[in-house]
């Protein structure tokens, strides 16, 4: 069911984004069609504003193969994007009601002991939601899927992490999901 909602949300976002790039804006200020709140936020004319940053970076770092203990130096590229949503004033002060970070890594490496060649595809998503910047209640989550394909295949591994936390109005926190799984030989 959540996949259906996510697909619907993705289609809605694509429709809104394509509508924003079309040259079909009203021709007069007295238009009787109100601007949709999402489009207003994207245009910067509504209550909330958004800041979006993206980039591609060359990266090199070591990862220990969780299945055989071999430390492999990987290098490749990381593409990341970050979005912050709140009023312009709050964004300028470093606060946001909604923060979303996504990263995708494409890396290769060779095991110094086994000589196995590896290719990693790593996808990471993190988000934060709060009703207002000073509010103690919030939700935050992170989700990562790392797939290391190897030659020979039995040296490969798959790592899945999911973490979700809720900040309570009392100031306490509640971890609602904390999942980590590792599968070897993939």
């Amino acid at each position: 069911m959540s996949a259906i909602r996510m697909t619907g949300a993705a289609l809605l976002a694509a429709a809104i984004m394509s509508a924003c790039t079309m040259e079909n804006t009203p021709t007069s200020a007295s238009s009787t069609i109100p601007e949709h709140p999402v489009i207003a936020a994207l245009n910067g004319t509504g209550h909330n504003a958004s800041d979006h940053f993206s980039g591609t970076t060359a990266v090199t770092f070591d990862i220990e193969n969780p299945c055989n203990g071999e430390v492999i130096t990987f290098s490749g590229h990381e593409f990341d994007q970050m979005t912050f949503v709140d009023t312009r004033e709050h964004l300028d002060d470093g606060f946001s009601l909604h923060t979303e970070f996504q990263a995708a890594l494409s890396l290769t490496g060779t095991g110094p002991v086994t000589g196995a060649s590896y290719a990693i595809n790593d996808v990471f998503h993190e988000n934060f939601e709060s009703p207002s910047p000073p509010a103690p209640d919030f939700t935050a989550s992170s989700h990562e899927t790392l797939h290391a394909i190897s030659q020979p295949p039995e040296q490969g591994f798959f790592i899945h992490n999911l973490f979700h936390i809720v900040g309570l109005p009392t100031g306490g926190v509640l971890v609602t999901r904390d999942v980590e799984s590792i599968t070897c030989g993939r």
Side-chain angles (χ1 to χ4, degrees):
M1 178 104 174
S2 65
I4 294 170
R5 275 188 257 149
M6 293 303 292
T7 302
L11 291 172
L12 176 62
I16 290 170
M17 294 305 290
S18 66
C20 291
T21 60
M22 295 178 173
E23 304 233 5
N24 62 353
T25 56
T27 56
S28 71
S30 63
S31 174
T32 59
I33 301 173
E35 187 173 36
H36 189 279
V38 173
I39 294 174
L42 292 172
N43 290 335
T45 60
H47 174 70
N48 285 332
S50 64
D51 288 340
H52 182 78
F53 307 95
S54 63
T56 301
T57 307
V59 294
T60 299
F61 54 86
D62 294 341
I63 296 178
E64 181 179 339
N65 182 328
C67 301
N68 66 13
E70 183 174 44
V71 177
I72 306 134
T73 300
F74 286 94
S75 60
H77 289 86
E78 175 182 343
F79 171 77
D80 54 42
Q81 59 184 358
M82 185 167 248
T83 303
F84 301 93
V85 177
D86 204 328
T87 64
R88 173 54 41 208
E89 178 184 354
H90 286 163
L91 290 173
D92 291 344
D93 289 340
F95 298 108
S96 65
L97 297 174
H98 169 79
T99 303
E100 189 162 4
F101 175 73
Q102 297 180 58
L105 286 87
S106 180
L107 309 164
T108 58
T110 302
V113 176
T114 63
S117 60
Y118 294 87
I120 283 186
N121 292 308
D122 186 11
V123 178
F124 180 81
H125 179 257
E126 186 175 88
N127 72 337
F128 171 83
E129 305 285 339
S130 176
S132 67
D137 51 327
F138 65 89
T139 61
S141 64
S142 65
H143 184 199
E144 180 178 21
T145 303
L146 183 148
H147 192 184
I149 302 165
S150 70
Q151 192 55 32
E154 60 272 5
Q155 300 297 322
F157 53 95
F158 181 83
I159 299 174
H160 179 243
N161 289 307
L162 176 61
F163 182 76
H164 185 82
I165 189 169
V166 176
L168 304 171
T170 61
V173 294
L174 175 65
V175 175
T176 60
R177 298 282 295 191
D178 189 4
V179 176
E180 179 179 68
S181 65
I182 299 172
T183 306
C184 297
R186 291 186 64 153

